[in-house]
Amino acid sequence: QCSEGEAIISNSGGLGVLGSFGDVTKAKIQANRWHRVQISVRCSPEAKQKGEMLTWVDANSGAVLKSDAIQANGRFALDPASLFLFSSSQAQMMHRTIHVRTVRIVAGPSTDVDAKSDLALDRVLSMFNLEREKEIDAQRRGLSLSSLFAKPRPVWSAPAVVGTFGDPFIEGTIFEGSSILSWSFEVLNFAFKRMLDDQASIFASAGAALTRKSLGDLSQILNRSAPIFKDMVRLLKIRRNTQLMSFLRKLRTQLSNLPEGETLMLPALVEGRELLLLLERTSERSYSLTVINTDPRGGLQFHAASPAVTPNKIMFRTCLVLGGIPKKNALDDVFWMAVYNLCLKSQTGDTHKFYDVLLPFLTNKPLEVSLVEGENAAEDAESARLCGPWRTPQRSSTTYVRCFFQAFNFILTRRRGVSPLRAKQVGLALRLQMVEMINNDLKYMHPDSNGQRICSMALRQLSYRAVKMAEAMAAAPPDSEDKEGKDLGITSCLICLDSTEDGSPVSKLPCGHKYHKECLDELVASGSTSCPACRDDVSGAGSIEQTLDKVRSLVDQCKTELNMAEESDLTLPAKLDLSLSKEWLSHPLAWDVEQAQPDPGQVVALKKLVPVDMLQIPRKVYAREDAVHALRTCDKLCTLINNQDHCIKNGQFLIASLIEHVFVHVVPVPKPRDVSKDNSRDRRAGRAERRRAKAAAKLEAMHEKRREAWKAKMEAKKAKGR
C-alpha cells in the first residue's frame, strides 16, 4: 500500500516510525557522515497478533516497534514492484543531498547478532574497497600522464612512446597504426615541455645558445597548433558535414591570424594514411607549405629520393617544401575543404589527387616543377631552407610519431639554422625525457610482460643513441653555433680592462671571448662559472660526458625497477611429480636443466564473448507483431554469431540452420495473395485436366487401332505370297 514511509528519520537522527525512534544517544544518523542502516520487519500472519519492526544504526539497536499494523500483505510487507528509497510527496521530508553506497535485501528477520555480523562483514569489504580506491588514485596521481588524462595509463602503454623507440621492431604487431597524430601530439607536446625544464642542462653549453632559442620558438609553434589537433580529434570522432564546417571556420581564423614568420602544424589524413602539414607565413602576401610524409608505401613516392646519399640505403626528402604560395591560394576555403574532406571520405586514388591536383593548385605549377626547383635550391647553401633534408623513412607504420620528429628536425635545421648534430641532440634529450617518465611510472605501477619488453626496448634504444651521439660529437669540429664573441674585434680583457696584445698569456673561452690567463684563473677561483661578457656557462655543463653519465644512471635505475617487477611476477615452483618414469630418472642432467618456456610473442587480448541465447526465439507465433519480433531476434542472433568467429565455431552453418528454423517452424509462411480460399478454381482446373487426359486416351486408342490394322494387312500379304 502506498504511504509516506514505513521508516523515517526524525529530526534528532533516530530511525523508526509511528512515533518510536529508539535511543538517539546510541543509534543516531548524523549529516555528512556514512552510516550503516538496517531495518528488520517480521509481519504477523494473523490479524490478532502483532508484528515487529527493529532498526539498527551502525549495529546499535534503535527502535523496537510492535504493532497490529505490521501484518502480512499489509503496509509494511515488502513488495519488489513498489519499493522506493528516500521518496515522499512531502517536500519537508526530503533531503537535498543523499548518498547511497550499497542496498541489500535479505528474506527473513534479523537479530542483534545478525546486525553485528553484517556490520563486520561490510566493514571488511568497505575498508578493502576504500584502500583499493586510494591505492589506485595514488597510482594515477603519480603517473607522468596524470595531467593529460582523467584516467591515465603508464607511459609505456602510450603508442607515442612505443613508436618513438620501437620503429625498427614493432612491424607486424598491434602497435602499428595504433594511434593518430592528434593523440600523439598531446603526449609529445607534454614531453617536450617537460624536456625544456628537466633536460636544460644538456643545452647549457656555450655553443648551444642558438639551440636554446630555437627550442623556445618550437615550443611556441606547438602551443599555437594545439587547438587544431584537439579539433581534429573531434572531427574524426564525429564524421559529419556540420562538424567539418565548424572545423574549417576555426582553421580559417587560425590561418588568417597567423603572424608573419610564424608556423602552424596541421594534421591531415589521405587514403587512411596520415600526413603533417607545416604552414609558414613568410611575408604579408605569401606563405610556405611543407608536406611531411614518412610512409614509403603511402605517398612518399611523390617526394624526391636518392640512393647515392648513403650507401646501401634509399633516402627520401620526407619534407616536401612548396614556397611562394600566394595568400589568396593559402587561405582558399575550397582547398582546405577538399583536403579535410579526404579525411572523412577516404577513397582509392586520394593520394594522387592530393599530390597531383591539390598541391599544384597552391603553387600554380605542376608538382614536378616544384620538385626540380627544390633540388636546384639544395645545391645552393643560401637557398637550402627551400628544401627538406635527406632522411630515412619509417620501417613500420609509426607515422603518428615519426612525422613529428621529422618536423622538429626540419624546423630546427632549415628554419632556425641549428646544426644537424644539435638537432640530433634535441631528439636524444626528448627520448631521455620519455625514459625518465617511464622511470617515474615504474615507481607506481609494475608493467606486465608486454610493458617489460617495451621498457627494455626503450632503454636499449636510448643507450644506443647516446653512444652514437658521443661518437658523432667527438668526430665533429668544434661547435660554431654561437658566434657572438668570435669576430667582435675585442682586444682588451674585460676583467682588468688592459690590452690582450701586450704579450701576456691569454685564455680563450668556448664562447670566443679572450681574457688574461691570470685574470681568468682568479675569476674561476672565486667560484664564477660564467663568461663576464656573454654570461654563458663555461663550466662544462651540457657536455656529452655529463649526458652519458645521466643516461647511464637513468638506465641503471630503470633496470633495477624492471628486475623488481619481474621478481614480483614469479610464481611458486610446481610440486615434485614422484610418478616419474625410470627413463627420466636415468638422466641426471634433466634435473639440473631448467625447463624451456615457449615465448608466444605479442599478447593480443581476445574480444569478450557475448552469449548467444537461441531460446529468445519463440516456438510459434500467431500474430504479425510476434512474427516481426521473431525476425528481428533472428537477425540479432545471426549478427552475434557472425561477429564472434574467434570463439564460435561453424558460425555459417549455425546461421543457416537458425534462419531455416525461423521460416519453417516459427513464422507461418502465408500463401500468395492471388490464391483464393474458394476451391471452384481447383474444380475447374480438375475438369480441364480430365478432358485433356480423355482426349489423350482417345488419341492413343486411335493410334493403337491403326497399328493393329497395319499389322493385319502385312500378315495377309505375307500369306498370299507363300
Side-chain angles (χ1 to χ4, degrees):
Q1 299 177 359
C2 181
S3 65
E4 289 301 331
E6 283 66 42
I8 60 177
I9 302 174
S10 65
N11 294 331
S12 57
L15 178 64
V17 73
L18 301 179
S20 177
F21 297 97
D23 187 1
V24 295
T25 60
K26 297 181 179 180
K28 181 179 180 180
I29 299 177
Q30 301 180 8
N32 299 324
R33 290 189 59 185
W34 285 102
H35 294 281
R36 187 183 187 278
V37 177
Q38 185 170 352
I39 303 173
S40 174
V41 179
R42 181 188 290 108
C43 296
S44 175
E46 298 180 3
K48 297 181 180 180
Q49 297 181 359
K50 294 183 179 181
E52 184 182 34
M53 186 177 75
L54 306 177
T55 64
W56 293 271
V57 178
D58 297 332
N60 296 318
S61 180
V64 179
L65 176 64
K66 295 183 179 181
S67 174
D68 297 335
I70 307 177
Q71 300 292 330
N73 300 325
R75 170 184 174 184
F76 291 89
L78 183 62
D79 185 5
S82 59
L83 176 63
F84 299 95
L85 300 176
F86 306 102
S87 175
S88 177
S89 60
Q90 301 180 11
Q92 62 272 18
M93 297 184 64
M94 297 298 298
H95 197 277
R96 287 179 292 180
T97 304
I98 299 174
H99 298 279
V100 179
R101 177 174 294 176
T102 305
V103 176
R104 183 185 303 132
I105 301 176
V106 181
S110 301
T111 62
D112 292 339
V113 176
D114 297 334
K116 294 180 180 180
S117 177
D118 294 342
L119 176 63
L121 178 61
D122 291 344
R123 181 175 296 172
V124 172
L125 296 177
S126 178
M127 290 300 296
F128 175 78
N129 293 331
L130 289 176
E131 293 297 330
R132 181 60 179 167
E133 292 177 0
K134 291 180 180 179
E135 182 181 356
I136 294 175
D137 292 340
Q139 288 180 350
R140 289 176 176 173
R141 288 194 300 269
L143 294 179
S144 300
L145 301 181
S146 58
S147 59
L148 291 182
F149 307 104
K151 295 182 178 180
R153 297 179 298 174
V155 174
W156 55 78
S157 63
V161 177
V162 179
T164 299
F165 294 101
D167 179 63
F169 310 105
I170 64 175
E171 185 176 4
T173 65
I174 60 175
F175 294 106
E176 275 199 310
S178 59
S179 181
I180 58 177
L181 281 173
S182 302
W183 288 116
S184 299
F185 176 84
E186 294 289 337
V187 178
L188 290 177
N189 188 22
F190 176 76
F192 185 85
K193 291 179 179 179
R194 293 191 57 175
M195 180 199 73
L196 295 181
D197 298 331
D198 300 345
Q199 313 301 332
S201 60
I202 298 180
F203 312 105
S205 63
L210 181 59
T211 304
R212 294 193 296 269
K213 299 174 184 178
S214 301
L215 290 178
D217 298 341
L218 182 56
S219 178
Q220 170 66 15
I221 295 174
L222 295 176
N223 294 333
R224 182 179 292 275
S225 306
I228 297 180
F229 283 89
K230 291 183 179 180
D231 295 336
M232 187 65 179
V233 173
R234 192 177 297 109
L235 176 63
L236 295 178
K237 183 178 181 180
I238 307 175
R239 296 174 177 265
R240 299 176 183 173
N241 293 332
T242 54
Q243 189 67 31
L244 175 61
M245 299 306 297
S246 175
F247 175 82
L248 292 176
R249 284 194 295 268
K250 297 178 181 179
L251 178 62
R252 174 59 185 261
T253 303
Q254 288 270 15
L255 298 181
S256 302
N257 298 334
L258 186 65
E260 184 176 348
E262 292 283 348
T263 304
L264 196 64
M265 287 187 180
L266 304 174
L269 188 67
V270 179
E271 207 169 335
R273 299 180 176 92
E274 292 181 302
L275 305 173
L276 188 63
L277 307 179
L278 297 180
L279 186 66
E280 179 185 4
R281 189 163 190 172
T282 56
S283 65
E284 181 65 25
R285 306 298 301 175
S286 64
Y287 288 76
S288 174
L289 180 68
T290 304
V291 181
I292 301 177
N293 192 340
T294 61
D295 191 355
R297 296 179 295 271
L300 200 55
Q301 65 269 21
F302 293 92
H303 295 227
S306 175
V309 180
T310 302
N312 302 325
K313 185 184 295 186
I314 298 179
M315 306 292 286
F316 291 85
R317 293 197 187 276
T318 55
C319 301
L320 176 60
V321 184
L322 303 177
I325 301 175
K327 180 180 179 180
K328 178 182 178 182
N329 295 356
L331 302 181
D332 190 273
D333 295 334
V334 178
F335 170 78
W336 293 110
M337 180 180 293
V339 170
Y340 286 99
N341 192 51
L342 299 178
C343 303
L344 302 184
K345 302 174 182 179
S346 179
Q347 297 179 359
T348 304
D350 286 347
T351 305
H352 292 273
K353 296 178 183 177
F354 178 78
Y355 279 97
D356 294 335
V357 179
L358 295 179
L359 294 184
F361 166 80
L362 293 177
T363 58
N364 297 322
K365 49 190 173 184
L367 180 64
E368 292 75 8
V369 176
S370 300
L371 292 175
V372 173
E373 292 178 353
E375 293 302 315
N376 295 334
E379 299 177 357
D380 187 5
E382 297 181 357
S383 304
R385 67 187 309 270
L386 300 179
C387 67
W390 295 108
R391 304 287 293 175
T392 304
Q394 65 188 28
R395 300 182 185 179
S396 53
S397 299
T398 54
T399 310
Y400 54 88
V401 66
R402 291 278 293 180
C403 280
F404 289 108
F405 280 92
Q406 300 289 351
F408 295 165
N409 182 274
F410 175 79
I411 294 174
L412 293 175
T413 57
R414 301 295 183 175
R415 291 293 184 259
R416 297 298 184 266
V418 178
S419 64
L421 190 59
R422 287 291 183 182
K424 291 183 178 180
Q425 191 178 17
V426 174
L428 176 63
L430 186 56
R431 290 174 173 84
L432 179 60
Q433 180 61 45
M434 290 183 180
V435 174
E436 284 195 356
M437 296 165 63
I438 292 176
N439 185 37
N440 174 78
D441 291 359
L442 286 174
K443 300 176 182 177
Y444 297 94
M445 185 178 299
H446 284 172
D448 55 5
S449 58
N450 288 337
Q452 293 174 9
R453 295 178 184 177
I454 294 172
C455 294
S456 300
M457 177 181 63
L459 297 180
R460 291 195 301 268
Q461 287 295 301
L462 178 64
S463 303
Y464 171 77
R465 289 186 174 272
V467 173
K468 295 289 288 184
M469 175 62 64
E471 294 176 353
M473 296 189 71
D479 196 357
S480 59
E481 279 190 0
D482 190 2
K483 301 181 177 57
E484 293 182 1
K486 301 298 181 181
D487 299 320
L488 297 179
I490 300 178
T491 59
S492 60
C493 176
L494 297 181
I495 299 177
C496 63
L497 302 181
D498 292 337
S499 176
T500 57
E501 298 179 354
D502 55 0
S504 302
V506 176
S507 296
K508 184 177 180 181
L509 297 179
C511 58
H513 294 95
K514 299 179 181 180
Y515 302 94
H516 290 133
K517 188 177 183 304
E518 295 180 359
C519 298
L520 189 60
D521 292 342
E522 294 178 359
L523 182 66
V524 173
S526 64
S528 177
T529 59
S530 60
C531 174
C534 60
R535 298 301 177 185
D536 279 344
D537 190 0
V538 294
S539 61
S543 62
I544 189 60
E545 291 79 9
Q546 291 188 356
T547 304
L548 289 177
D549 293 339
K550 190 172 185 179
V551 171
R552 187 182 301 107
S553 175
L554 182 60
V555 170
D556 292 340
Q557 294 178 15
C558 292
K559 285 184 177 180
T560 303
E561 296 290 343
L562 287 176
N563 293 334
M564 294 176 59
E566 293 178 359
E567 293 176 359
S568 63
D569 294 339
L570 294 178
T571 58
L572 294 176
K575 294 182 179 180
L576 180 62
D577 187 5
L578 300 179
S579 61
L580 299 176
S581 62
K582 295 183 179 180
E583 296 181 358
W584 176 269
L585 295 174
S586 62
H587 298 284
L589 290 179
W591 294 91
D592 299 330
V593 178
E594 184 179 358
Q595 294 279 337
Q597 297 293 334
D599 186 4
Q602 184 72 32
V603 178
V604 179
L606 295 178
K607 298 180 181 178
K608 186 178 180 181
L609 171 66
V610 179
V612 181
D613 187 9
M614 301 292 185
L615 297 179
Q616 294 182 3
I617 298 179
R619 299 183 61 183
K620 194 72 174 179
V621 297
Y622 301 95
R624 179 185 179 89
E625 292 78 7
D626 297 338
V628 173
H629 176 70
L631 293 176
R632 289 178 176 173
T633 305
C634 176
D635 177 70
K636 176 183 177 182
L637 296 178
C638 291
T639 304
L640 287 177
I641 295 174
N642 188 47
N643 292 339
Q644 302 185 92
D645 54 352
H646 63 283
C647 52
I648 298 180
K649 305 301 181 183
N650 302 323
Q652 300 303 322
F653 293 101
L654 291 175
I655 293 175
S657 301
L658 181 60
I659 295 175
E660 179 183 4
H661 171 75
V662 170
F663 282 96
V664 173
H665 299 282
V666 179
V667 179
V669 180
K671 294 182 178 181
R673 292 186 177 182
D674 57 347
V675 176
S676 176
K677 294 182 179 180
D678 189 8
N679 57 358
S680 60
R681 180 179 300 180
D682 296 339
R683 291 197 301 271
R684 288 195 298 270
R687 287 196 298 268
E689 185 66 25
R690 288 193 295 274
R691 285 196 299 269
R692 287 192 294 269
K694 185 177 180 181
K698 185 177 180 180
L699 182 62
E700 182 65 24
M702 184 179 65
H703 287 305
E704 184 65 25
K705 186 177 180 181
R706 288 180 179 179
R707 284 194 296 269
E708 293 293 336
W710 183 79
K711 288 181 180 180
K713 185 177 179 180
M714 294 300 295
E715 289 178 358
K717 285 183 178 182
K718 290 180 180 180
K720 187 177 179 179
R722 292 192 188 99

